[in-house]
Amino acid sequence: MSKKKNENEEEIKEEVVAETMDDISEELPAEEPQAEETDARDEKIAALEAELQAKQKEAEELKDRLIRNQADTENYRKRLLKEKEDAVKYANTALVKDLLGPLDDFSRALEASKNSDNIDAIREGVSMIEDRIYSILKTSWGLEIIDAEGVPFDPNEHEACMMEVSEDAKEETVSMILQKGYKVNGRVVRSAKVKVTKPAD
């Protein structure tokens, strides 16, 4: 009886040990899944490294493009500045070219006056040259002459250099032009110097 009991206890112990070993083996991770996880992790790291390299390359390209754009912008700014300086420097070239013809006429008139006693002819020639100059400046450059007498005094166009009082005057009026004034495209570039007649107080 005691022997049988001992055998039963031994069998129970063996069963318990076997079940425990089975439980332990179930809990332990299999070798295959560990290898798969390692491979997946390596692939992910490799993918991240490749993406990082691509981003670094893109950043370098953007940096290079930015540097080139800055250089282009600086060159463009310098070119605009040079063009502006040239425009200011040579702004009057067209005007000078327009006046070269009348200047040649003046030279010819002066040369002709040395061998001529005909003052009227010389005066007429000079008057024609003056008319030509005014015509060029009016047509091509918008010149207007301020030289009208008998018009109301306008401080925007006239500079009063002399003043007289008249009982007949109803308002301040330009009675004499002492020096012509000029406007270019409607803007006064030189006021006319005038004598003004004003009404008595």
Side-chain angles (χ1 to χ4, degrees), residues 105-106 109 118-132:
D105 292 342
F106 269 126
N118 190 343
I119 301 299
D120 291 336
I122 294 172
R123 184 183 293 112
E124 184 180 350
V126 171
S127 179
M128 288 173 62
I129 295 170
E130 182 186 37
D131 290 342
R132 183 180 175 195

Tab-separated table of all heavy atoms in Angstrom, residues 105-106 109 118-132:
chain	number	residue	atom	x	y	z
A	105	ASP	N	22.704	126.540	-86.934
A	105	ASP	CA	22.164	127.719	-87.622
A	105	ASP	C	22.738	128.999	-87.028
A	105	ASP	O	23.051	129.950	-87.753
A	105	ASP	CB	20.633	127.751	-87.514
A	105	ASP	CG	19.974	126.625	-88.316
A	105	ASP	OD1	20.652	126.062	-89.206
A	105	ASP	OD2	18.795	126.318	-88.046
A	106	PHE	N	22.860	129.044	-85.699
A	106	PHE	CA	23.458	130.218	-85.059
A	106	PHE	C	24.898	130.421	-85.525
A	106	PHE	O	25.326	131.548	-85.808
A	106	PHE	CB	23.436	130.059	-83.524
A	106	PHE	CG	22.214	130.627	-82.874
A	106	PHE	CD1	21.443	129.842	-82.030
A	106	PHE	CD2	21.828	131.952	-83.080
A	106	PHE	CE1	20.306	130.357	-81.423
A	106	PHE	CE2	20.698	132.473	-82.471
A	106	PHE	CZ	19.933	131.677	-81.638
A	109	ALA	N	24.844	131.839	-88.930
A	109	ALA	CA	24.391	133.237	-88.916
A	109	ALA	C	25.512	134.163	-88.451
A	109	ALA	O	25.708	135.258	-89.015
A	109	ALA	CB	23.175	133.378	-88.013
A	118	ASN	N	23.922	143.889	-93.837
A	118	ASN	CA	22.460	143.900	-93.873
A	118	ASN	C	21.918	143.433	-92.515
A	118	ASN	O	21.696	142.255	-92.290
A	118	ASN	CB	21.973	142.980	-95.000
A	118	ASN	CG	20.480	143.130	-95.237
A	118	ASN	OD1	19.758	143.651	-94.398
A	118	ASN	ND2	20.022	142.653	-96.395
A	119	ILE	N	21.722	144.400	-91.641
A	119	ILE	CA	21.271	144.098	-90.278
A	119	ILE	C	19.885	143.452	-90.288
A	119	ILE	O	19.607	142.547	-89.506
A	119	ILE	CB	21.247	145.378	-89.416
A	119	ILE	CG1	22.648	146.012	-89.355
A	119	ILE	CG2	20.753	145.075	-88.008
A	119	ILE	CD1	23.693	145.131	-88.739
A	120	ASP	N	19.025	143.922	-91.171
A	120	ASP	CA	17.670	143.376	-91.219
A	120	ASP	C	17.681	141.885	-91.562
A	120	ASP	O	16.919	141.094	-90.988
A	120	ASP	CB	16.820	144.131	-92.248
A	120	ASP	CG	16.522	145.555	-91.797
A	120	ASP	OD1	16.558	145.786	-90.564
A	120	ASP	OD2	16.271	146.418	-92.650
A	121	ALA	N	18.542	141.497	-92.505
A	121	ALA	CA	18.641	140.085	-92.901
A	121	ALA	C	19.172	139.246	-91.738
A	121	ALA	O	18.687	138.137	-91.469
A	121	ALA	CB	19.531	139.939	-94.122
A	122	ILE	N	20.163	139.800	-91.036
A	122	ILE	CA	20.730	139.077	-89.884
A	122	ILE	C	19.674	138.918	-88.787
A	122	ILE	O	19.505	137.843	-88.208
A	122	ILE	CB	21.971	139.815	-89.345
A	122	ILE	CG1	23.096	139.793	-90.392
A	122	ILE	CG2	22.442	139.180	-88.030
A	122	ILE	CD1	24.290	140.649	-90.055
A	123	ARG	N	18.941	140.019	-88.525
A	123	ARG	CA	17.889	139.974	-87.506
A	123	ARG	C	16.824	138.942	-87.879
A	123	ARG	O	16.354	138.182	-87.036
A	123	ARG	CB	17.256	141.354	-87.344
A	123	ARG	CG	16.209	141.392	-86.220
A	123	ARG	CD	15.536	142.751	-86.103
A	123	ARG	NE	16.453	143.762	-85.657
A	123	ARG	CZ	16.874	144.789	-86.408
A	123	ARG	NH1	16.454	144.937	-87.656
A	123	ARG	NH2	17.715	145.686	-85.926
A	124	GLU	N	16.456	138.918	-89.145
A	124	GLU	CA	15.436	137.967	-89.594
A	124	GLU	C	15.927	136.525	-89.435
A	124	GLU	O	15.177	135.640	-89.002
A	124	GLU	CB	15.091	138.240	-91.062
A	124	GLU	CG	13.969	137.352	-91.581
A	124	GLU	CD	13.641	137.649	-93.048
A	124	GLU	OE1	14.136	138.640	-93.589
A	124	GLU	OE2	12.888	136.841	-93.634
A	125	GLY	N	17.199	136.298	-89.758
A	125	GLY	CA	17.770	134.949	-89.621
A	125	GLY	C	17.783	134.495	-88.158
A	125	GLY	O	17.412	133.360	-87.848
A	126	VAL	N	18.195	135.413	-87.264
A	126	VAL	CA	18.233	135.070	-85.834
A	126	VAL	C	16.825	134.816	-85.309
A	126	VAL	O	16.587	133.898	-84.517
A	126	VAL	CB	18.926	136.187	-85.031
A	126	VAL	CG1	18.777	135.945	-83.525
A	126	VAL	CG2	20.407	136.285	-85.410
A	127	SER	N	15.872	135.613	-85.784
A	127	SER	CA	14.478	135.432	-85.369
A	127	SER	C	13.944	134.069	-85.818
A	127	SER	O	13.222	133.396	-85.079
A	127	SER	CB	13.624	136.557	-85.949
A	127	SER	OG	12.271	136.390	-85.588
A	128	MET	N	14.314	133.651	-87.005
A	128	MET	CA	13.888	132.347	-87.513
A	128	MET	C	14.484	131.207	-86.658
A	128	MET	O	13.808	130.216	-86.361
A	128	MET	CB	14.313	132.180	-88.969
A	128	MET	CG	13.505	133.045	-89.945
A	128	MET	SD	14.160	132.990	-91.631
A	128	MET	CE	13.972	131.272	-92.023
A	129	ILE	N	15.746	131.394	-86.259
A	129	ILE	CA	16.382	130.374	-85.409
A	129	ILE	C	15.669	130.302	-84.058
A	129	ILE	O	15.409	129.211	-83.537
A	129	ILE	CB	17.877	130.700	-85.213
A	129	ILE	CG1	18.624	130.607	-86.557
A	129	ILE	CG2	18.502	129.729	-84.195
A	129	ILE	CD1	20.038	131.138	-86.520
A	130	GLU	N	15.337	131.464	-83.495
A	130	GLU	CA	14.621	131.486	-82.217
A	130	GLU	C	13.277	130.766	-82.349
A	130	GLU	O	12.900	129.964	-81.486
A	130	GLU	CB	14.402	132.926	-81.752
A	130	GLU	CG	13.693	133.019	-80.404
A	130	GLU	CD	13.348	134.447	-80.022
A	130	GLU	OE1	12.990	135.234	-80.928
A	130	GLU	OE2	13.425	134.766	-78.822
A	131	ASP	N	12.569	131.077	-83.434
A	131	ASP	CA	11.273	130.414	-83.652
A	131	ASP	C	11.436	128.899	-83.765
A	131	ASP	O	10.603	128.130	-83.256
A	131	ASP	CB	10.608	130.959	-84.930
A	131	ASP	CG	10.132	132.395	-84.772
A	131	ASP	OD1	10.004	132.845	-83.610
A	131	ASP	OD2	9.893	133.061	-85.797
A	132	ARG	N	12.503	128.479	-84.418
A	132	ARG	CA	12.740	127.045	-84.576
A	132	ARG	C	13.010	126.378	-83.222
A	132	ARG	O	12.498	125.288	-82.935
A	132	ARG	CB	13.931	126.823	-85.520
A	132	ARG	CG	14.195	125.361	-85.792
A	132	ARG	CD	15.368	125.147	-86.722
A	132	ARG	NE	15.656	123.721	-86.864
A	132	ARG	CZ	16.766	123.237	-87.357
A	132	ARG	NH1	17.721	124.062	-87.778
A	132	ARG	NH2	16.974	121.944	-87.442
